[in-house]
Each structure stands twice: as structure tokens, then as C-alpha cells.
């Protein structure tokens, strides 16, 4: 497994450092297929499953009673129906904020520790592994966010407004990069989020393992980095603006199969 990951990383590194003219000739679809065949996200999934079943925190409890929307402890198919409104939390939550809620209420691990933390470190890194575990059990499921709930509909509309809202010193919006077909940045094809298929592609391929940095990124991490690249104020982890954008993408991609977890360059 380690040899395969190393080989894949070398191949991708060669592709990304090749001259522009050579890059045009490379078949990046073939590279993506090769990467997906041995997706290192599986390692995070295994870690997440162990974390799900391990008693931790001040309450020395597991997450096996965490309700992701389909009943206590039900993981299969849950990610495909998130974000959703949760009565106990009194808000619309995506997968990460729901897991954070369960870690707080069931295990006593303060949400503030995750919100104030850093990506890839501490409890936020453990949360990412839990995300990998949960989404794997919705791979191949059709995205099915319930937009009939007034709170979810409200969040969807906020996400749509945010998608088109220009901000930052570069006067960019999400739509600046994700509202046309055929756009790309280097080897990365940019999905057209304004279409149902593009929204499903963007939503249903994150979280993902990033070969170029040997890191596993959740959707919260991906969207946070989009704000950073726009030179805009970076959103607080778990804030409504991220959940709204997630709800917009997921809701627009309803009915299309998710491919979690993804693998990126």
C-alpha cells in the first residue's frame, strides 16, 4: 500500500512539474483513475472507525449513539442526506458540525476546542478521520437533502446568495471560478456549480485525499481554503456561511450519486 501511494505521488509530481505544453498532452483523467484505485483516504476511514467505537473524552463514551439523522448509531446512508435540520441542536448542520455536536454532548469534548483549533491537528484532525469513516458508508448513494424543511430551504437560499457574493481584495465570488463549463486551474477541472451535475461533482467528491500535500481535506477545509484564496476573511469553523454553501451545493446536486471520499491532485 505504501509503495503504491509513493508511486502515485511521484507520477503526479512529474505531471504537475512538467512544462505547460507537456501538461496539455497528459491524460489527467487516467491519473485520477489510477489515484482512485488506491485512495489513501482508506487509511483515514480506518482511523475514523476506530475513533467512532472508542470511548474518549471526559464522559469516557463512544460515538456509537450519535444520531446523524437516521437514528442513533446509523451511519449507512447518513452523509447523503446532510446537511439537515436537527431539533436537538436547533440548527441546520453539515456532517462536521453534527459530529462536533456529538463529540461535545456524548463525549464531553468541547466544540470550542475544535472551532479554535487548526486543520490537520488535534481534535479537528480526529474529526476529519470520523468524516472519512461516515462518508464512505454513503459512497454510491444518491444525494438526498430535504429542501422542503423551511430551515434547510432558508440555508440553501443563503448559500446561493453567498455563492454569487463578491468579496475580498480580488473582488471574487465562488461563481468567478465555478459558474462556467470547461474552466480549470492547471490540472484541476473546476465544476460548474450552477448546474445540477456540477454541483453534485463539487459536493460529492469532497472530503478528499490530496496527493500533492499528502493530506485529507474535509468540505469545511476545502471551502475555508476557497475564501483564503479569494483573499477574503476566513470563515470560522462550523459557521453558518460554510453550512449554507454546503446546503446549496448538496441541494442543487440532489438525485445524483456521491463518490465519497474523493482523491485530488
Amino acid at each position: 500500500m505504501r509503495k503504491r501511494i509513493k508511486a502515485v505521488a511521484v507520477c503526479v509530481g512529474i505531471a504537475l512539474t512538467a512544462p505547460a505544453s507537456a501538461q496539455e498532452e497528459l491524460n489527467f483523467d487516467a491519473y485520477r483513475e489510477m489515484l482512485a484505485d488506491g485512495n489513501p483516504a482508506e487509511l483515514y476511514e480506518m482511523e475514523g472507525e476506530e475513533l467512532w467505537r472508542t470511548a474518549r473524552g471526559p464522559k469516557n463514551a463512544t460515538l456509537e449513539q450519535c444520531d446523524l439523522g437516521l437514528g442513533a448509531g446509523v451511519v449507512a446512508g447518513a452523509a447523503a442526506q446532510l446537511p439537515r435540520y436537527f431539533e436537538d441542536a436547533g440548527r441546520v448542520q453539515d456532517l462536521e458540525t453534527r459530529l462536533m455536536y456529538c463529540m461535545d454532548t456524548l463525549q464531553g469534548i468541547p466544540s470550542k476546542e475544535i472551532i479554535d483549533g487548526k486543520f490537520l491537528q488535534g481534535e479537528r484532525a480526529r474529526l476529519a478521520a470520523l468524516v472519512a469513516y461516515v462518508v464512505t458508508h454513503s459512497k454510491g448513494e444518491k444525494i438526498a437533502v430535504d429542501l422542503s424543511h423551511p430551515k434547510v430551504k432558508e440555508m440553501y437560499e443563503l448559500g446561493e446568495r453567498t455563492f454569487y457574493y463578491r468579496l475580498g481584495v480580488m473582488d471574487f465570488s465562488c461563481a468567478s471560478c465555478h459558474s462556467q463549463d470547461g474552466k480549470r486551474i492547471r490540472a484541476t477541472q473546476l465544476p460548474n456549480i450552477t448546474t445540477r451535475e456540477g454541483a453534485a461533482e463539487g459536493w460529492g467528491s469532497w472530503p478528499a485525499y490530496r496527493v500533492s500535500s499528502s493530506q485529507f481535506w474535509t468540505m469545511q477545509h476545502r471551502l475555508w481554503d476557497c475564501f483564503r484564496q479569494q483573499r477574503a476573511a476566513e470563515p470560522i469553523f462550523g459557521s453558518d456561511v460554510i453550512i449554507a454553501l454546503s446546503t446549496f451545493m448538496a441541494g442543487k446536486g440532489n438525485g445524483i450519486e456521491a463518490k465519497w471520499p474523493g482523491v485530488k491532485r
Side-chain angles (χ1 to χ4, degrees):
M1 179 67 174
R2 290 182 179 177
K3 289 182 179 178
R4 179 174 180 78
I5 294 172
K6 185 176 181 181
V8 168
V10 170
C11 289
V12 173
I14 293 172
L16 297 179
T17 56
S21 58
Q23 285 190 25
E24 293 295 333
E25 299 175 4
L26 290 172
N27 186 339
F28 287 106
D29 287 337
Y31 276 103
R32 293 187 187 95
E33 289 176 7
M34 181 174 66
L35 293 173
D37 186 47
N39 192 342
E42 295 172 4
L43 303 175
Y44 294 85
E45 176 201 349
M46 290 188 289
E47 180 187 354
E49 182 175 11
E50 183 177 352
L51 285 167
W52 181 265
R53 304 183 189 283
T54 299
R56 296 197 314 123
K59 297 183 179 181
N60 193 35
T62 73
L63 291 172
E64 292 171 300
Q65 293 303 306
C66 178
D67 185 356
L68 298 173
L70 301 180
V74 178
V75 176
Q81 298 184 38
L82 291 168
R84 68 189 301 157
Y85 180 77
F86 288 90
E87 290 284 353
D88 54 5
R91 65 180 296 209
V92 176
Q93 293 178 315
D94 62 358
L95 177 55
E96 284 157 275
T97 49
R98 186 59 184 176
L99 285 169
M100 185 166 63
Y101 176 87
C102 287
M103 292 168 71
D104 195 332
T105 57
L106 295 176
Q107 297 181 312
I109 298 171
S111 294
K112 191 176 187 304
E113 184 174 343
I114 299 172
I115 293 169
D116 293 345
K118 295 182 178 181
F119 288 109
L120 311 174
Q121 297 181 26
E123 288 299 337
R124 198 182 285 190
R126 296 182 187 95
L127 177 62
L130 286 163
V131 167
Y133 167 63
V134 174
V135 298
T136 301
H137 287 78
S138 283
K139 185 175 184 178
E141 295 281 339
K142 291 183 178 180
I143 302 169
V145 175
D146 182 10
L147 296 177
S148 67
H149 193 288
K151 292 292 185 181
V152 179
K153 183 180 179 181
E154 180 182 302
M155 194 64 80
Y156 176 95
E157 292 170 350
L158 174 61
E160 186 173 23
R161 292 198 300 273
T162 303
F163 180 79
Y164 289 103
Y165 187 77
R166 290 182 174 271
L167 72 168
V169 296
M170 299 175 69
D171 194 34
F172 269 26
S173 69
C174 301
S176 299
C177 294
H178 292 285
S179 61
Q180 298 178 40
D181 294 331
K183 295 187 73 172
R184 80 179 194 186
I185 296 178
R186 296 184 295 275
T188 302
Q189 294 289 342
L190 301 177
N192 182 353
I193 304 297
T194 65
T195 68
R196 182 165 170 256
E197 293 73 16
E201 181 184 348
W203 172 252
S205 62
W206 291 92
Y209 182 82
R210 305 198 67 174
V211 176
S212 58
S213 58
S214 301
Q215 296 172 349
F216 182 79
W217 282 29
T218 64
M219 180 57 82
Q220 286 265 348
H221 195 167
R222 173 65 273 173
L223 292 177
W224 173 88
D225 196 56
C226 287
F227 279 88
R228 181 192 65 82
Q229 290 176 325
Q230 292 177 53
R231 306 297 188 267
E234 296 159 3
I236 296 171
F237 186 90
S239 58
D240 280 350
V241 66
I242 295 294
I243 298 172
L245 282 168
S246 295
T247 305
F248 172 62
M249 286 191 292
K252 199 166 188 65
N254 264 346
I256 297 181
E257 182 180 303
K259 301 176 181 179
W260 299 305
V263 59
K264 307 289 182 177
R265 67 170 181 83

